[in-house]
Amino acid sequence: MNSLVIAIVVILLSFIAPLWLLHLRAVNPNDTSVATPSLTPAKLMWLIPTMITLTLLLVTLTVYVQIGRFADWDKGYVDENIDYLIAADINKNAKAVSETPYDKIALLKLAHAYAEGGLYAQSVETLDKLLAIESDAEVLGMKANALYYRDGRDMSLEVSIILSQALAIDPNEIQSLLLMATHAYLNKEFQQAIAYWQQLLDCNNPNVNRASINRAILKAEQSQANRTVTASE
């Protein structure tokens, strides 16, 4: 939060400070480097930079009040305002599902599109339709993720049961292990998170993003080391 405040102040000062510097040079009779306009009244000389300063501050604050979320700047939340490209993708896939209600590929794409747009409840409903056709480890993993984020990152009993079902079918199901690793990391269970990520690396699945997981493991190891150092002090 403090870094955000500092950034806003620095940006404003970068615009305001040069204006006042030029103004002070202009009205300073001992400084002949900048000529003082002889026809400009003294009051007007101070009014112009003052009005510019106030305008910059008021515009910044007004824009921030309208679109900013200062108290929640570091918190994730479901964005109900979907990007138009994602909305178009949802509409396209929803149309495909309406035309072929039992098409597994169409249902899967629609569920993906809903999740991409943060519409996790709709994603869960779509995945339920898909699971009614066929029980699949990947689909179960997707449903667990959608439920988890729909309920505000809550590892509920329902999510845990679905994860167990997915891993019973495929012990190395990617979505399930990633969710479990993420939840462990967010709860500062760094060693457990590393274990889940390492399991994904060891399974040799070509769909695993190894570079991303290696970075996550490194970050978890650093966090764990920092916590150990803090505890020992």
Side-chain angles (χ1 to χ4, degrees):
M1 184 176 296
N2 291 333
S3 61
L4 182 60
V5 174
I6 293 172
I8 293 174
V9 171
V10 169
I11 292 172
L12 287 175
L13 288 178
S14 67
F15 284 98
I16 296 171
L19 294 174
W20 278 99
L21 180 61
L22 291 173
H23 169 73
L24 292 174
R25 287 180 178 178
V27 298
N28 187 356
N30 297 321
D31 187 355
T32 58
S33 60
V34 179
T36 302
S38 58
L39 298 179
T40 304
K43 291 184 178 180
L44 186 59
M45 289 291 292
W46 286 100
L47 180 61
I48 293 175
T50 301
M51 292 301 297
I52 293 176
T53 299
L54 291 175
T55 299
L56 283 172
L57 290 172
L58 288 174
V59 168
T60 302
L61 291 174
T62 300
V63 172
Y64 187 78
V65 168
Q66 293 296 321
I67 66 174
R69 292 179 59 92
F70 187 84
D72 299 331
W73 73 275
D74 60 344
K75 298 176 182 178
Y77 62 94
V78 176
D79 187 1
E80 299 297 341
N81 299 314
I82 306 174
D83 181 270
Y84 73 95
L85 291 176
I86 297 176
D89 193 36
I90 291 175
N91 291 334
K92 180 185 70 175
N93 289 303
K95 181 180 179 181
V97 169
S98 66
E99 294 173 351
T100 54
Y102 301 103
D103 187 328
K104 292 185 289 186
I105 301 299
L107 287 167
L108 188 62
K109 287 183 177 179
L110 180 58
H112 268 297
Y114 278 136
E116 187 72 18
L119 301 177
Y120 299 111
Q122 291 88 331
S123 182
V124 170
E125 293 175 3
T126 305
L127 291 168
D128 281 337
K129 295 177 182 178
L130 189 53
L131 288 169
I133 300 173
E134 180 183 4
S135 182
D136 179 86
E138 180 183 359
V139 177
L140 287 167
M142 287 179 61
K143 181 180 178 180
N145 274 269
L147 284 170
Y148 178 79
Y149 288 106
R150 184 199 68 181
D151 299 335
R153 295 182 176 179
D154 178 26
M155 186 59 74
S156 63
L157 178 60
E158 182 181 10
V159 174
S160 298
I161 291 174
I162 295 173
L163 287 172
S164 299
Q165 293 173 343
L167 294 174
I169 298 173
D170 180 3
N172 296 315
E173 201 284 306
I174 296 176
Q175 297 294 327
S176 300
L177 290 175
L178 285 176
L179 175 58
M180 294 165 69
T182 299
H183 182 73
Y185 180 84
L186 292 175
N187 286 274
K188 301 187 185 305
E189 299 171 0
F190 302 119
Q191 196 58 47
Q192 185 62 69
I194 292 172
Y196 289 134
W197 283 321
Q198 190 60 53
Q199 182 177 344
L200 284 169
L201 293 177
D202 294 340
C203 73
N204 294 321
N205 189 323
N207 295 321
V208 172
N209 188 332
R210 296 182 171 277
S212 178
I213 290 178
N214 280 322
R215 286 194 298 269
I217 290 176
L218 179 60
K219 186 175 181 180
E221 290 174 341
Q222 291 174 339
S223 298
Q224 188 176 39
N226 292 338
R227 185 171 64 177
T228 301
V229 170
T230 302
S232 63
E233 293 179 349

